[in-house]
């Protein structure tokens, strides 16, 4: 940066910089996956779906922590309203975290940093997105499990660029990569979450991507 306020952590990474606007926690939703058996033709499927919505959003990112195995199956954008559909075939708990640019400025105590345009770029009252990992996985026909382990015990949530998996045309099903989390690791289980494209709005014309990007964040205490 050429001028302004900047702080770095003990590893030398910039944590506050007047040239950048950090994403903050805008919404946190907690709940449970409780599967119900649903029949599609001759196929019976145990499925639980939940929808996470944020309004007045700018460019939000959704992350999930779950002790079940779940997948992002859809995102619907209407103006500034974003809705994610998350599917699981197993029972369990989840927490969804939505990060976006700050919507308002708090009036409490702490440190606030503004850029030269008087835009707020840091507020010590906000809970900021702390990225700990980023990786890509190609589409395969396997059921491989990819485990990422972290040194510190905490709460790690996962976001995905798209619902990576495979399409089963005979039954109009998607076999999607599933996300599961523990206090020291996250696991991506290939082709383990099954859902029908007839049940998820907008997925009928969707083809599986060549790969998906995954981002892992530390939401301990959030």
């Amino acid at each position: 940066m050429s001028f302004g306020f900047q702080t770095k952590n003990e590893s030398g990474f910039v944590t506050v910089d007047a040239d950048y606007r950090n994403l903050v926690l805008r919404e946190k939703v907690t709940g449970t996956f409780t599967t119900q058996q649903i029949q599609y033709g001759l196929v019976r499927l145990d499925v639980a779906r939940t929808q996470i919505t944020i309004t007045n959003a700018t460019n939000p990112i959704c992350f999930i922590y779950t002790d079940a195995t779940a997948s992002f199956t859809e995102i619907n954008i209407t103006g500034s309203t974003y809705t994610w559909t998350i599917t699981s075939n197993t029972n369990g708990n989840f927490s969804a975290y939505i990060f976006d640019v700050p919507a308002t400025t708090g009036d409490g105590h702490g440190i606030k940093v503004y850029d030269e345009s008087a835009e707020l770029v840091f507020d010590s009252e906000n809970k900021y997105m702390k990225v700990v990992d980023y990786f890509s996985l190609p589409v395969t026909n396997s059921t491989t499990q990819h485990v990422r382990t972290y040194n510190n015990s905490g709460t790690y949530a996962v976001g995905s660029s798209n619902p990576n998996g495979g399409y089963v045309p005979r039954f109009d099903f998607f076999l999607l990569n599933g996300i599961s989390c523990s206090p020291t690791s996250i696991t991506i289980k290939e082709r383990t979450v099954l859902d029908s494209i007839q049940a998820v709005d907008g997925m009928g014309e969707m083809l599986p991507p060549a790969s998906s990007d995954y981002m892992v964040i530390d939401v301990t205490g959030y």
Side-chain angles (χ1 to χ4, degrees):
M1 60 181 296
S2 56
F3 65 92
F5 179 82
Q6 183 182 81
T7 64
K8 297 182 180 181
N9 62 16
E10 61 184 7
S11 301
F13 293 104
V14 175
T15 56
V16 181
D17 191 313
D19 289 339
Y20 299 96
R21 178 182 292 178
N22 299 312
L23 299 186
V24 304
L25 181 65
R26 288 276 306 275
E27 299 282 349
K28 177 184 176 181
V29 178
T30 60
T32 59
F33 293 116
T34 303
T35 62
Q36 295 182 339
Q37 190 173 89
I38 301 173
Q39 185 170 355
Y40 297 97
L42 299 177
V43 178
R44 296 181 184 273
L45 176 65
D46 292 325
V47 63
R49 300 187 195 92
T50 188
Q51 290 189 321
I52 310 298
T53 297
I54 184 174
T55 59
N56 299 319
T58 302
N59 193 19
I61 307 175
C62 185
F63 299 83
I64 187 172
Y65 171 90
T66 179
D67 56 13
T69 300
S71 176
F72 291 96
T73 48
E74 182 196 22
I75 180 172
N76 182 276
I77 304 172
T78 305
S80 61
T81 298
Y82 290 66
T83 300
W84 291 265
T85 299
I86 302 172
T87 298
S88 178
N89 302 127
T90 55
N91 296 329
N93 302 306
F94 74 87
S95 295
Y97 303 83
I98 301 177
F99 286 79
D100 198 5
V101 297
T104 58
T105 301
D107 295 326
H109 301 287
I111 298 175
K112 294 177 174 57
V113 178
Y114 297 85
D115 63 15
E116 64 271 19
S117 302
E119 293 288 335
L120 182 70
V121 294
F122 178 81
D123 187 338
S124 59
E125 291 188 312
N126 288 330
K127 296 179 178 179
Y128 287 95
M129 188 169 75
K130 297 181 289 186
V131 179
V132 297
D133 201 0
Y134 182 88
F135 58 96
S136 296
L137 293 177
V139 171
T140 69
N141 290 321
S142 69
T143 55
T144 303
Q145 293 191 18
H146 304 269
V147 180
R148 312 282 286 197
T149 303
Y150 308 108
N151 293 330
N152 299 320
S153 179
T155 304
Y156 298 99
V158 184
S160 175
S161 61
N162 44 46
N164 195 348
Y167 176 47
V168 186
R170 181 179 177 184
F171 300 107
D172 277 346
F173 284 139
F174 274 110
L175 280 168
L176 303 170
N177 288 2
I179 297 167
S180 62
C181 309
S182 81
T184 57
S185 68
I186 64 96
T187 302
I188 308 298
K189 304 175 182 179
E190 292 189 36
R191 303 170 67 87
T192 56
V193 176
L194 187 64
D195 207 343
S196 170
I197 63 173
Q198 302 172 16
V200 184
D201 180 41
M203 288 189 67
E205 299 300 323
M206 179 182 170
L207 295 176
S211 64
S212 282
D213 298 325
Y214 293 90
M215 183 181 291
V216 182
I217 63 172
D218 184 353
V219 289
T220 304
Y222 287 14

